[in-house]
Amino acid sequence: MPRATYPPITPDLLLRAYASGLFPMADSADDPELFWVEPEIRGVLPLDGFHVPRRLARTVRQAPFEIRINSAFDQVVAACAESVENRPTTWINTTIAELYASLHRLGHAHSVEAWRDGELVGGLYGVSLRRAFFGESMFSRATDSSKVCLVHLVERLRERRFALLDTQFTTEHLKRFGAIDIPRAAYAKMLEDALDGPDLAFD
């Protein structure tokens, strides 16, 4: 039986998918095809319940990294797609990288970056839509670099009065910061509330 074909995913379709609770993934970096994901249980990081472990808070105060916003978006995505010891496979393929680069140019995808001595050593990226931010991936090449970026992300979202930080799934790592699992219906209500308002400036 021939495989079903679907129209190509465009930046506009991608934003509409996020607004409906969907996000794309690939089976692997080598697989050119994408599929839509809508988890029964969704991970979110409540902005008013964000917890910074004491040791990390000390690191943030010491400011070992220069934090930049959107200065090397494509580099951050490429670093997140790299195969590393604790993440031998990735779901970020060329199609995803190109799609999010397009969203970045439209002002809807952003990176938070940690730099040291002129070198990119950590970062994260995600999508902003109205009062919601959808975290996609992060990477670290220096101790605590991605964690420091996460702290700066949350501070930025709070300052700009965002209502939702979607982590898609939870991990033990994210749970240490206060991430929780919620049912799809509860997430849909949170998303609806976050989309009820203007597009907030991220950068």
Side-chain angles (χ1 to χ4, degrees):
M1 176 179 293
R3 191 166 187 171
T5 58
Y6 299 94
I9 300 176
T10 62
D12 179 65
L13 177 59
L14 187 53
L15 289 176
R16 285 190 281 126
Y18 274 108
S20 301
L22 304 170
F23 57 88
M25 294 185 72
D27 281 326
S28 71
D30 298 326
D31 187 342
E33 296 188 3
L34 303 182
F35 59 90
W36 294 110
V37 181
E38 186 181 20
E40 288 287 344
I41 300 297
R42 194 80 169 223
V44 299
L45 212 171
L47 294 171
D48 58 357
F50 184 65
H51 169 70
V52 182
R54 183 177 301 175
R55 186 188 64 81
L56 180 61
R58 184 168 61 248
T59 299
V60 172
R61 289 194 299 271
Q62 293 169 346
F65 310 110
E66 176 191 355
I67 302 301
R68 303 181 191 174
I69 306 296
N70 289 335
S71 76
F73 181 85
D74 291 345
Q75 288 177 249
V76 170
V77 175
C80 289
E82 289 177 354
S83 175
V84 294
E85 183 177 353
N86 64 344
R87 189 188 59 210
T89 60
T90 177
W91 49 269
I92 301 172
N93 63 9
T94 301
T95 305
I96 283 180
E98 292 173 349
L99 271 172
Y100 286 85
S102 296
L103 281 188
H104 175 62
R105 290 191 292 270
L106 292 171
H108 281 289
H110 309 279
S111 58
V112 181
E113 309 146 11
W115 293 79
R116 187 170 62 192
D117 300 327
E119 180 183 357
L120 179 64
V121 296
L124 58 84
Y125 77 98
V127 173
S128 67
L129 184 61
R130 298 190 182 276
R131 299 192 300 139
F133 189 91
F134 308 89
E136 285 295 322
S137 189
M138 60 175 59
F139 79 99
S140 181
R141 295 173 180 160
T143 301
D144 290 337
S145 59
S146 63
K147 296 176 185 177
V148 171
C149 287
L150 179 60
V151 172
H152 280 271
L153 170 67
V154 171
E155 289 177 351
R156 199 172 193 84
L157 296 179
R158 284 172 166 174
E159 289 171 358
R160 286 155 175 74
R161 300 186 182 278
F162 277 73
L164 172 64
L165 173 49
D166 174 5
T167 65
Q168 299 178 348
F169 305 102
T170 59
T171 62
E172 291 305 313
H173 169 69
L174 288 173
K175 286 179 180 179
R176 287 196 289 269
F177 291 92
I180 59 173
D181 289 315
I182 60 173
R184 180 187 293 175
Y187 173 78
K189 181 63 171 66
M190 292 180 67
L191 179 60
E192 181 183 6
D193 291 343
L195 296 178
D196 182 16
D199 265 324
L200 298 181
F202 180 86
D203 54 3

